[in-house]
Amino acid sequence: MRRVVCRELGPPDNLELEEVERLEPGPGQVVVDVRAAGVNFADALIVTGGYQMKPPLPFVPGSEVAGVVQGVGDGVEGWAAGDRVLGMTGLGSFAEQVLVDPSILLHLPEAMSFGQAAGFIQSYATMFFSLTRRTTVSPGETVLVLGAGGGIGLAAIDVARALGLRAIAAASSKEKLAAAEAMGADASIAYEDEDLKTRARELSGGGVDLVVDAVGGRHAEPALRALRFQGRYIVLGFASGTIPSLPLNHVLLNNRTVVGVDWGSWAFQHPEENRQLVGEALDLVAAGRLHPAEPGTYPLAEAGRALTDLLERRITGKVVLVP
Ligand SMILES: NC(=O)c1ccc[n+]([C@@H]2O[C@H](COP(=O)([O-])OP(=O)(O)OC[C@H]3O[C@@H](n4cnc5c(N)ncnc54)[C@H](OP(=O)(O)O)[C@@H]3O)[C@@H](O)[C@H]2O)c1
């Protein structure tokens, strides 16, 4: 079987494709035939060495997978060859097959394609965790989503709309704003051209209740200033490469709250609660209340190009690798 291998940290173009023996499950293990592997910003950071977690070299990147169970090892209960599954692998899913602990697997609902599923958990679980566990939201509130055409951004809009919120999308291009509107955003701001704070206040009738920020950089402060009384600023990441400093006087004013979200470490420390959270999100997909977009696809051999396109801001929505 073929897999992508990272032999040294650096530009994603350095990734190599190698052919190895097909995998056999050991006791307590499951082999999944990969149908689609999610391409996430964190995968790119792991390959370039910019992530907090630095795996020993060489390693196979790829943190998220959807596929079909190929074989189960001795002692595995509840899973059988042919089951459609999705799961967070951490590493290893940029391959034709991946060996996993069955505790990471979830059943893939009929309503979801492999592509939708492979890009689902990281973005949707993060946003579902943010808006239902890290803060409380009320129907009718307005959320401003920065980087709204990205993976986290589109999931934020979808989850927000499912919870009865109004969503304002902010992004850099017409294409990304169109994707956000197709996902259900009620209004759009082209934040490279328009004044973010002024437009967000105008579009929300005085100020937004929540900001979802996975971008950081120069848009953070105007977004904070666009929050109304008791607004919440949700910090998710810094895709722009710049960690902003927020002026605390503008947190104090209007009784605002800054909420940090680190879904990955919470999921690691609370695996059962995370299973329940992802299960709730999957139920909303099955019920037609969440609508993960069908992703763009790259062949497995072009993993490096996919990660580079993500890092260079060229991708709208999610993309997956298809072996
Ligand atoms: N805290 C958590 O639990 C958690 C969980 C998952 C992901 N994350 C983090 O959230 C961030 C976004 O992840 P994602 O999967 O949504 O990524 P993504 O799909 O690439 O979206 C990121 C967006 O950031 C914007 N951006 C602005 N400047 C950029 C730059 N210089 N390079 C790249 N993008 C830039 C882009 O939108 P515009 O072009 O419209 O500006 C892009 O669409 C990452 O830092 C990731 O690690 C955090």
Side-chain angles (χ1 to χ4, degrees):
M1 68 110 179
R2 295 174 314 145
R3 65 184 189 187
V4 173
V5 61
C6 179
R7 297 190 194 285
E8 63 177 321
L9 302 180
D13 289 346
N14 292 350
L15 292 174
E16 294 171 21
L17 196 66
E18 67 176 12
E19 182 87 38
V20 293
E21 292 289 303
R22 287 181 68 75
L23 301 177
E24 291 295 331
Q29 294 178 323
V30 171
V31 171
V32 175
D33 281 341
V34 178
R35 295 295 170 84
V39 176
N40 289 297
F41 208 87
D43 301 319
L45 294 178
I46 290 170
V47 165
T48 58
Y51 200 63
Q52 53 263 41
M53 187 264 286
K54 293 193 174 46
L57 295 163
F59 65 88
V60 178
S63 53
E64 188 168 15
V65 72
V68 177
V69 172
Q70 188 273 335
V72 300
D74 289 343
V76 172
E77 288 177 8
W79 297 102
D83 286 346
R84 281 162 40 100
V85 293
L86 73 166
M88 290 298 298
T89 56
L91 291 171
S93 59
F94 288 3
E96 287 176 337
Q97 293 189 307
V98 63
L99 195 59
V100 300
D101 183 310
S103 67
I104 68 131
L105 295 176
L106 291 140
H107 285 285
L108 176 54
E110 280 302 314
M112 270 176 119
S113 69
F114 290 113
Q116 286 173 305
F120 182 75
I121 297 183
Q122 204 167 121
S123 50
Y124 274 78
T126 297
M127 284 320 307
F128 207 57
F129 176 61
S130 300
L131 296 180
T132 66
R133 307 309 203 255
R134 292 292 294 125
T135 189
T136 49
V137 300
S138 304
E141 287 191 315
T142 300
V143 57
L144 169 65
V145 180
L146 308 186
I152 287 281
L154 289 179
I157 291 167
D158 204 15
V159 173
R161 300 286 288 119
L163 296 173
L165 308 186
R166 206 170 156 261
I168 300 175
S172 64
S173 70
K174 279 190 185 145
E175 190 193 3
K176 289 179 182 178
L177 289 172
E181 281 168 17
M183 186 54 88
D186 301 275
S188 290
I189 302 173
Y191 59 16
E192 300 299 355
D193 309 320
E194 299 180 86
D195 183 301
L196 180 61
K197 183 191 77 177
T198 307
R199 285 296 289 144
R201 283 189 174 175
E202 282 169 5
L203 290 167
S204 58
V208 298
D209 299 287
L210 296 125
V211 169
V212 167
D213 183 8
V215 180
R218 70 184 186 85
H219 301 306
E221 185 172 334
L224 174 69
R225 289 171 181 246
L227 280 174
R228 72 166 84 228
F229 193 73
Q230 294 190 342
R232 286 85 79 204
Y233 191 106
I234 301 177
V235 181
L236 286 147
F238 315 104
S240 67
T242 305
I243 300 174
S245 297
L246 295 177
L248 288 181
N249 57 324
H250 285 281
V251 178
L252 177 155
L253 285 173
N254 285 318
N255 294 286
R256 292 165 177 147
T257 304
V258 178
V259 181
V261 172
D262 183 353
W263 165 73
S265 67
W266 174 82
F268 185 73
Q269 289 170 39
H270 301 89
E272 273 315 308
E273 287 97 322
N274 183 54
R275 262 190 104 71
Q276 187 181 334
L277 175 105
V278 178
E280 283 173 35
L282 287 170
D283 288 347
L284 289 177
V285 177
R289 291 182 53 204
L290 286 178
H291 325 84
E294 201 54 58
T297 60
Y298 287 71
L300 187 61
E302 294 184 17
R305 187 168 66 85
L307 293 175
T308 303
D309 285 348
L310 197 69
L311 286 173
E312 294 184 356
R313 217 175 168 181
R314 283 193 288 271
I315 287 175
T316 296
K318 294 293 301 181
V319 293
V320 299
L321 300 179
V322 178

